[in-house]
C-alpha cells in the first residue's frame, strides 16, 4: 500500500466509505500541484473526527472526489488556551497565527489595542494559515481565528473563569514561572510593537483574573513573545507536561 503523506483539511463529516467532494482549491493542490492520480491515498481531517486515510476516486480539473477508508488517528483537541494578540506587520501576524496553531492554541483572537497600527485584518487569510499549519504539523484540530475586536470590548464581556496570562513588557527581569497557577481555561495576551498604553496597563493590572508575567530580561518582538508565552504555558499547564 502506498504511504499517504499529504494531509488535507476538509469540512465534510468523515465515515468509512464516505465520498468527499473537493473544492477547486483542494483539487488544484492535489491534482495540479501534487500530481495525484486516481487511487492515490491522502490523509484527511475535519477538526472534529480525527484523521482518516482516503483515496482519490475521481480527478477533474477544478473538482474531484476522495473516499474515506479508515480512521488513522483519534481526534485530539488542544487544552483550553486562547491567544489574544495585537496584529503587527502582515508577515509577522501570519507567523503568529501559524505558530499558535502549531503550539496548540485552541482559539486565536486578534485584538486592537491603543497602540495597534493595523485597523483591519484578513480573517479568511489568517484562518487559511491556521488550516495549513494544522495540515503540516500532524494536528487534527484547527483553531478558529476570530475577527479583529477591540481589547477593551473583549475585556468588558470577559468570563472571569478564563484567566489571562498578560505578557507585560514592564516586568523585564527573571522570566516567569507558572508554578502554582491552576490549570483550566486561560488566554495569553501579547501587545503590539509599541506595547500597552498606560490606561490599558492600569485596567489589566486591576483585573483579578489577569496574571502579569515577565518573559526575561530582554524586550522580545511580539511574534517571539507570543511563541515564548504559549510555550511557557504549554510546558507548565498544558499538554506538553
Ligand atoms: N515597545 C515596548 C517597549 O519597548 O517596552 C515593547 C513591546 S514588545 C515589542 C511587544 C509585546 O511583547 C509586549 O507588549 C509584551 O506583550 C510582549 N513582550 C516582549 N518582551 C517581553 C518581556 N520581556 N516580558 C513580558 N512581555 C514581553
Amino acid at each position: 500500500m502506498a504511504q499517504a503523506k499529504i494531509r488535507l483539511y476538509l469540512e465534510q463529516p468523515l465515515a468509512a466509505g464516505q465520498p468527499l467532494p473537493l473544492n477547486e482549491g483542494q483539487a488544484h493542490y492535489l491534482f495540479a500541484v501534487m500530481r495525484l492520480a486516481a487511487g492515490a491515498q491522502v490523509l484527511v481531517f475535519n477538526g472534529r473526527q480525527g484523521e482518516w486515510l482516503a483515496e482519490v476516486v475521481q480527478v477533474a480539473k477544478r473538482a474531484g472526489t476522495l473516499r474515506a477508508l479508515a480512521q488513522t488517528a483519534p481526534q485530539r483537541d488542544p487544552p483550553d488556551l486562547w491567544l489574544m494578540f495585537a496584529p503587527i506587520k502582515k508577515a509577522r501576524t501570519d507567523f503568529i497565527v501559524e505558530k499558535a496553531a502549531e503550539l496548540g492554541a485552541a482559539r486565536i483572537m486578534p485584538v486592537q489595542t491603543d497602540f495597534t497600527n493595523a485597523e483591519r485584518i484578513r480573517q479568511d487569510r489568517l484562518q487559511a494559515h491556521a488550516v495549513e499549519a494544522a495540515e503540516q504539523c500532524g494536528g487534527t484540530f484547527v483553531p478558529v481565528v476570530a475577527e479583529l475586536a477591540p481589547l477593551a470590548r473583549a475585556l468588558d464581556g470577559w468570563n472571569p473563569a478564563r484567566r489571562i496570562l498578560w505578557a507585560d513588557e514592564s516586568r523585564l527581569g527573571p522570566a516567569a514561572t507558572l508554578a502554582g497557577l491552576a490549570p483550566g481555561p486561560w488566554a495569553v495576551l501579547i501587545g503590539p510593537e509599541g506595547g500597552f498604553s498606560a490606561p490599558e496597563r492600569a485596567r489589566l493590572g486591576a483585573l483579578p483574573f489577569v496574571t502579569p508575567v515577565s518573559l526575561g530580561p530582554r524586550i522580545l518582538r511580539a511574534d517571539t513573545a507570543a511563541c515564548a508565552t504559549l510555550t511557557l504555558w504549554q510546558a507548565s499547564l498544558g499538554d506538553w507536561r
Side-chain angles (χ1 to χ4, degrees):
M1 188 173 79
Q3 191 71 30
K5 288 211 179 69
I6 297 167
R7 297 183 87 247
L8 189 69
Y9 171 80
L10 302 163
E11 287 183 356
Q12 297 95 312
L14 298 169
Q18 174 83 26
L20 305 168
L22 299 169
N23 65 30
E24 189 174 339
Q26 292 160 342
H28 176 78
Y29 172 64
L30 293 184
F31 308 139
V33 179
M34 303 310 293
R35 305 243 163 238
L36 297 190
Q41 296 187 332
V42 295
L43 294 169
V44 297
F45 63 103
N46 62 9
R48 311 180 299 278
Q49 293 175 288
E51 179 191 80
W52 285 68
L53 184 66
E55 69 174 355
V56 177
V57 289
Q58 190 217 340
V59 178
K61 194 144 193 217
R62 293 195 178 79
T65 311
L66 308 179
R67 181 172 49 231
L69 298 175
Q71 194 181 43
T72 48
Q75 178 62 27
R76 277 198 59 182
D77 293 336
D80 194 355
L81 174 64
W82 295 359
L83 171 66
M84 271 195 287
F85 75 99
I88 43 177
K89 290 192 183 85
K90 183 170 156 292
R92 290 184 182 276
T93 297
D94 292 352
F95 176 90
I96 290 175
V97 169
E98 178 185 289
K99 297 308 159 204
E102 287 178 37
L103 291 167
R107 181 177 174 81
I108 300 173
M109 299 171 63
V111 288
Q112 199 154 24
T113 63
D114 291 345
F115 297 152
T116 303
N117 287 323
E119 279 174 13
R120 59 183 68 85
I121 55 160
R122 282 280 310 277
Q123 187 276 340
D124 56 340
R125 224 173 42 80
L126 293 179
Q127 186 66 66
H129 278 295
V131 165
E132 210 171 296
E135 286 173 342
Q136 288 182 10
C137 76
T140 50
F141 178 88
V142 178
V144 166
V145 181
E147 289 287 358
L148 182 65
L151 173 64
R153 199 196 303 152
L155 293 177
D156 287 345
W158 198 260
N159 174 358
R162 179 177 301 279
R163 309 211 49 192
I164 295 178
L165 193 61
W166 168 31
D168 175 5
E169 68 272 8
S170 73
R171 291 184 179 249
L172 287 186
T177 154
L178 305 191
L181 295 182
W186 279 87
V188 156
L189 173 61
I190 307 293
E193 280 112 335
F196 292 96
S197 69
E200 285 169 340
R201 189 168 291 293
R203 182 170 185 194
L204 287 164
L207 291 170
F209 51 83
V210 172
T211 302
V213 285
S214 161
L215 300 173
R218 289 167 291 278
I219 297 275
L220 308 179
R221 281 182 180 270
D223 44 347
T224 316
C227 293
T229 315
L230 290 170
T231 301
L232 196 61
W233 191 92
Q234 282 286 31
S236 307
L237 302 172
D239 63 10
W240 294 18
R241 289 174 296 164

